[in-house]
Amino acid sequence: MREFLGFRKTRAAAAFFFCMALLAVSGYGQAIPGRWAAKGKTMENGEVSRTILDLKQAGNDLSGKLIGLGYGVDVKGTATGTHFELFGVGWDEKTPLIVGEAVNGELHFTQWGDKYAARPATPADEIVLPAYIEPPPLHKVPYNGLAKTPPMGWNSWNLFAEKVDDKTVRTMADAMVSSGMKAAGYIYVNIDDTWEGVRDAQGNLQTNHKFPDMKALAAYVHSKGLKIGIYSSPGPRTCGGYPASYGHEAQDAKTFASWGIDYLKYDWCSAGNIYKNDALQPVYQKMGDALQASGRPIVYSLCEYGMGSVEKWAPEVSGNLWRTTGDINDSWDSMIANIEKQVPTAPYAGPGHWNDPDMLEIGNGHMSDDEYRVHMSLWSLTAAPLLAGNDIRTMSDTTKSILLNKEVIAIDQDPLGKQASPVKSGDLETWTKPLADGSVAVGVVNLGSAAAPATVKATDLNLAGPVKKARDLWAQKEVKFNAGAYTATVPSHGVLLLRVSAK
Ligand code: GLA
């Protein structure tokens, strides 16, 4: 018996080691391809976010799809042993979206700073999409008569992201008044993503714990002489994974109107998991109709990152402004890339209809003062919406001097509504914008790493006669054109901004 047991033990041990050897050879426990599921953090409305990562491997190359509650992204990348890196297709090609390791039958990875442990996906993990609803056939939605000049205000996303709450918005509204922002024209106080709760039994979208009473908050913002904006998506979920307006467009527009909302940013996000991208126009039209039927004037801000030449059809769905780019971040490269990307859209800007290269980063701390002056100058020269994205309760004097420069704001808000385009010469880029009173705004931006002399020639400005008056809007002083030209030194990543007139 003992011997038999001994034999059984030896045989079991041999089988065990044989299996382990096989597993090691096959790489079991270290495999990267497959369909993986990970739970994310608990969202502000109590739901737990989820991610599916579906990967194929050929040699060292990985490809597949990353699906979250609020987005679906094609990914590609590489595997080196157990290590893998994935990039969003068409996204930033330098910074991986996901970096991870295969560890004991799991994928451990980091995405947007959050850590995940993914296990092989089961049917219960799948993100189930609601049934497809065909968008209505195309028709023209009339202009809502709003945003005759580019909207100005503040938006919560750039600085606060999911940390925005009722108190932040109230104190920001207070600061809009006390800082002089309101007097300078910044009127909209806009709540971005992460305010959403869940739908009640009647399908009404509720707020989450951060916004106990949206109607009362809107009344507070209105009591300051300001207006209030909110955020949703034509998909079932917002980019942050919160419930959005798919299948509830008319109902949500009515809810927003009943709260007293004056502005809606409508962000594509998970709509990409439901609709084909050629459905952009009918999908945005559906909410355009819903807003107009809501009985309240609501500025309509489209956010689909410039897909499908949005500038050509957005006015036909009653869009007042539309994003032309991906998300800005607080860096020189991102800011310049966004403004350059919107150059081809220039012919489509005009009263009621604006190209939007994304919100301002001025005062958020990662660009120099000169760079922030370039940011403000370029947004104004291109008639872009001016939505501050900083903490206006604690602005430095320099930040104030940039955001509150009334002569620069007047360039942005000029009633003619023309969008400047650049002419490049070496490191210098000259942007010229004709203004309603016949004068011209001209900005020379130095993209180079050394200070450089910039010359503005009157003959390039299309004025009705010789220069009578020229003003440097950042130095806030008159300057003189000699023999039809003005020359000044522009610092690296700085700007010379003039308003020149023949009158
Ligand atoms: C997208 C938008 C951003 C912001 C976030 C919120 O990324 O482009 O401006 O609204 O969603 O989730």
Side-chain angles (χ1 to χ4, degrees), residues 157 192-193 231 239-240 265 267 303 305 323 327 358-359:
W157 185 254
D192 209 278
D193 200 358
Y231 169 100
C239 291
K265 172 174 167 184
D267 194 351
C303 178
Y305 338 113
R323 278 271 293 276
D327 290 11
D358 208 357
M359 302 165 294

Side-chain angles (χ1 to χ4, degrees), residues 129-436:
L129 292 174
Y132 177 73
I133 305 168
E134 182 74 18
L138 276 186
H139 56 265
K140 244 189 165 171
V141 188
Y143 171 48
N144 58 16
L146 302 171
K148 294 257 162 61
T149 61
M152 291 177 66
W154 175 86
N155 174 293
S156 59
W157 185 254
N158 284 358
L159 186 62
F160 292 90
E162 78 275 9
K163 293 199 177 64
V164 63
D165 61 7
D166 177 280
K167 191 170 172 217
T168 311
V169 175
R170 281 172 195 256
T171 50
M172 214 56 77
D174 296 343
M176 292 283 267
V177 179
S178 60
S179 64
M181 293 280 283
K182 178 189 162 198
Y186 294 88
I187 293 299
Y188 290 96
V189 179
N190 291 353
I191 304 163
D192 209 278
D193 200 358
T194 77
W195 63 266
E196 306 86 351
V198 292
R199 291 192 185 274
D200 68 12
Q202 285 70 46
N204 294 312
L205 185 52
Q206 296 166 300
T207 53
N208 65 43
H209 71 100
K210 298 187 300 167
F211 291 92
D213 187 343
M214 195 62 92
K215 194 169 179 169
L217 177 58
Y220 183 81
V221 171
H222 290 153
S223 77
K224 302 272 157 186
L226 299 164
K227 293 183 186 290
I228 186 164
I230 211 162
Y231 169 100
S232 191
S233 165
R237 297 278 176 165
T238 66
C239 291
Y242 291 79
S245 297
Y246 181 73
H248 294 272
E249 292 81 357
Q251 189 175 16
D252 287 359
K254 282 204 187 100
T255 301
F256 300 153
S258 76
W259 288 340
I261 297 297
D262 307 296
Y263 183 119
L264 174 68
K265 172 174 167 184
Y266 206 44
D267 194 351
W268 186 246
C269 309
S270 67
N273 294 337
I274 298 264
Y275 299 111
K276 293 208 181 78
N277 279 356
D278 61 8
L280 287 158
Q281 184 171 344
V283 168
Y284 274 96
Q285 169 196 278
K286 196 170 184 186
M287 183 51 94
D289 278 333
L291 290 177
Q292 296 213 352
S294 77
R296 188 175 172 86
I298 298 179
V299 169
Y300 189 23
S301 160
L302 279 52
C303 178
E304 43 84 289
Y305 338 113
M307 293 187 292
S309 300
V310 60
E311 66 280 4
K312 295 190 182 149
W313 52 262
E316 285 170 31
V317 303
S318 81
N320 297 110
L321 61 156
W322 46 86
R323 278 271 293 276
T324 51
T325 69
D327 290 11
I328 196 169
N329 62 54
D330 188 12
S331 72
W332 169 260
D333 286 350
S334 161
M335 184 266 289
I336 292 294
N338 271 24
I339 207 72
E340 303 267 355
K341 194 173 171 212
Q342 93 154 3
V343 169
T345 65
Y348 301 92
H353 311 298
W354 309 103
N355 295 303
D356 175 9
D358 208 357
M359 302 165 294
L360 300 172
E361 291 283 6
I362 295 163
N364 280 337
H366 295 96
M367 286 189 245
S368 70
D369 296 340
D370 271 332
E371 292 176 334
Y372 284 141
R373 275 187 280 271
V374 172
H375 190 358
M376 185 74 183
S377 304
L378 287 177
W379 263 238
S380 298
L381 286 160
T382 56
L386 296 179
L387 293 167
N390 60 319
D391 191 341
I392 57 174
R393 301 167 301 190
T394 54
M395 284 189 284
S396 70
D397 286 345
T398 311
T399 300
K400 271 191 195 168
S401 74
I402 298 171
L403 283 173
L404 292 170
N405 184 318
K406 294 204 169 121
E407 291 177 279
V408 179
I409 292 171
I411 304 300
D412 181 76
Q413 294 291 299
D414 187 78
L416 203 56
K418 292 282 182 212
Q419 176 174 327
S421 299
V423 174
K424 223 175 160 135
S425 162
D427 284 335
L428 299 181
E429 221 171 45
T430 303
W431 301 68
T432 310
K433 173 174 171 159
L435 302 170

